[in-house]
């Protein structure tokens, strides 16, 4: 279970997140959508304290942190409950794919090196990269690098995987190979919170969709509720615009 209560985040005088509250059940896939610059990625980064919230509380699994009283020990415990997939991959350039995946097993979970490497090899196989274990990030395509990033997150043993726009830095031909891995995780009921502009993924894979704008949660519900019958005028406008852009993109690809 993940519980976020009254979470806010200020950067100087700029309030980026405003009183955010929601819950995620074990095994749920929650997709966060909304216009660029509305605080989606900041919210995700606050969930494992890559950014420190200004106020509010976060509970993931057995760890709970209140922004007003957070200790280093509590933050460390919270971070162990989640793993992060970055939009720009953030792999270790000096480590091959296998070593990137094994890193947290060795350094965080203190797994013996040989066992960690064997474990990492199994996970690389799950994301279709068993044959790329010895290759370094510079030798991999963008899609392959992001799949290594997902494999690394899978190895972290957290309660939830946080995805921050995982396809936004990819060329179009690499997007689907990453989404296939994410959809497989969804089928396995891996708890995930995903910030994305991939509306079709949200429709197909999400249990819950959260629409954010202006630092607020405007509306949340099932994909059917959000995409087929949105209640708030801002949600309606966003969904209509996203649908129009999808049609335009499809038409352009036919040229």
């Amino acid at each position: 279970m993940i519980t976020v209560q009254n979470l806010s985040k200020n950067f100087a005088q700029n309030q980026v997140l405003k009183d955010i509250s929601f819950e995620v059940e074990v095994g749920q896939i929650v997709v966060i959508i909304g216009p660029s610059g509305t605080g989606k990625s900041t919210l995700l980064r606050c969930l494992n304290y890559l950014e420190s919230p200004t106020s509010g509380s976060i509970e993931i699994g057995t760890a709970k942190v209140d922004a007003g009283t957070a200790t280093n020990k509590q933050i460390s415990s919270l971070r162990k409950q989640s793993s992060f997939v970055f939009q720009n991959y953030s792999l270790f350039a000096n480590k091959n794919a296998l070593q990137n995946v094994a890193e947290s097993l060795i350094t965080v979970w203190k797994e013996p090196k040989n066992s960690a490497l064997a474990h990492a090899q199994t996970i690389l196989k799950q994301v279709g990269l068993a044959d790329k274990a010895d290759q370094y990030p510079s030798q991999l395509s963008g899609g392959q690098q992001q799949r290594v990033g997902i494999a690394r997150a899978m190895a972290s043993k957290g309660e939830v995987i946080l995805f921050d726009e995982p396809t936004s830095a990819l060329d179009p031909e690499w997007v689907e190979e990453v989404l296939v891995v994410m959809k497989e995780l969804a089928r396995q009921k891996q708890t995930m919170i995903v910030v994305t502009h991939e509306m079709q993924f949200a429709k197909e894979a999400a249990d819950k969709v959260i629409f954010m704008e202006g630092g607020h949660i405007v509306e949340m519900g099932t994909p059917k509720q959000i995409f087929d019958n949105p209640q708030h005028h801002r949600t309606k406008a966003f969904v209509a615009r996203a649908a129009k852009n999808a049609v335009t993109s499809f038409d352009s690809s036919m040229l």
Side-chain angles (χ1 to χ4, degrees):
M1 166 72 85
I2 299 166
T3 303
V4 178
Q5 292 185 317
N6 307 116
L7 196 72
S8 295
K9 173 62 180 178
N10 296 352
F11 291 102
Q13 302 303 311
N14 182 26
Q15 189 174 17
V16 178
L17 298 178
K18 303 170 184 177
D19 201 31
I20 300 288
S21 296
F22 64 94
E23 292 185 349
V24 183
E25 300 288 344
V26 173
Q28 276 194 325
I29 293 85
V30 174
V31 174
I32 304 174
I33 62 173
S36 298
T38 199
K40 304 184 301 295
S41 292
T42 299
L43 170 58
L44 213 64
R45 293 174 69 85
C46 283
L47 293 183
N48 73 342
Y49 268 73
L50 287 172
E51 296 285 355
S52 297
T54 303
S55 60
S57 67
I58 302 164
E59 184 174 359
I60 303 177
T62 59
K64 183 175 181 179
V65 179
D66 188 290
T69 58
T71 66
N72 288 336
K73 183 177 180 179
Q74 289 172 335
I75 292 170
S76 178
S77 178
L78 185 76
R79 285 174 174 163
K80 282 187 176 182
Q81 299 297 317
S82 66
S83 52
F84 208 98
V85 177
F86 298 87
Q87 55 185 290
N88 61 349
Y89 326 134
S90 294
L91 300 178
F92 296 110
N94 63 337
K95 296 181 184 294
N96 62 31
L98 187 67
Q99 292 166 333
N100 265 282
V101 176
E103 181 68 16
S104 67
L105 295 171
I106 296 169
T107 60
V108 177
W109 297 101
K110 308 303 180 186
E111 193 170 324
K113 184 175 180 180
N114 287 342
S115 173
L117 291 173
H119 188 177
Q121 184 66 42
T122 298
I123 296 172
L124 280 177
K125 184 177 180 180
Q126 288 180 257
V127 300
L129 291 175
D131 60 334
K132 303 295 184 182
D134 295 330
Q135 296 196 5
Y136 289 82
S138 62
Q139 299 171 300
L140 300 172
S141 71
Q144 289 168 343
Q145 288 185 67
Q146 192 60 293
R147 282 190 282 159
V148 173
I150 294 172
R152 180 178 60 184
M154 292 166 64
S156 296
K157 303 181 182 180
E159 290 286 330
V160 59
I161 301 179
L162 309 172
F163 292 82
D164 184 17
E165 306 249 14
T167 61
S168 66
L170 299 177
D171 289 337
E173 65 265 29
W174 296 332
V175 169
E176 187 57 30
E177 67 184 68
V178 171
L179 292 179
V180 165
V181 173
M182 294 174 65
K183 289 173 185 176
E184 180 57 33
L185 287 175
R187 282 190 287 269
Q188 295 172 12
K189 293 300 180 181
Q190 165 66 57
T191 309
M192 300 190 291
I193 302 176
V194 184
V195 170
T196 185
H197 289 289
E198 299 288 343
M199 297 299 108
Q200 193 59 39
F201 174 82
K203 293 177 183 178
E204 293 176 3
D207 297 298
K208 180 188 295 183
V209 177
I210 295 174
F211 172 65
M212 286 183 63
E213 189 174 78
H216 294 281
I217 290 179
V218 175
E219 190 170 349
M220 70 173 81
T222 66
K224 185 172 181 61
Q225 289 170 331
I226 296 299
F227 291 106
D228 294 348
N229 190 30
Q231 298 301 299
H232 198 283
H233 71 275
R234 287 190 288 178
T235 315
K236 291 178 182 179
F238 178 83
V239 169
R241 189 164 58 250
K244 182 179 179 181
N245 289 342
V247 170
T248 301
S249 176
F250 177 79
D251 289 344
S252 297
S253 71
M254 296 297 100
L255 296 177

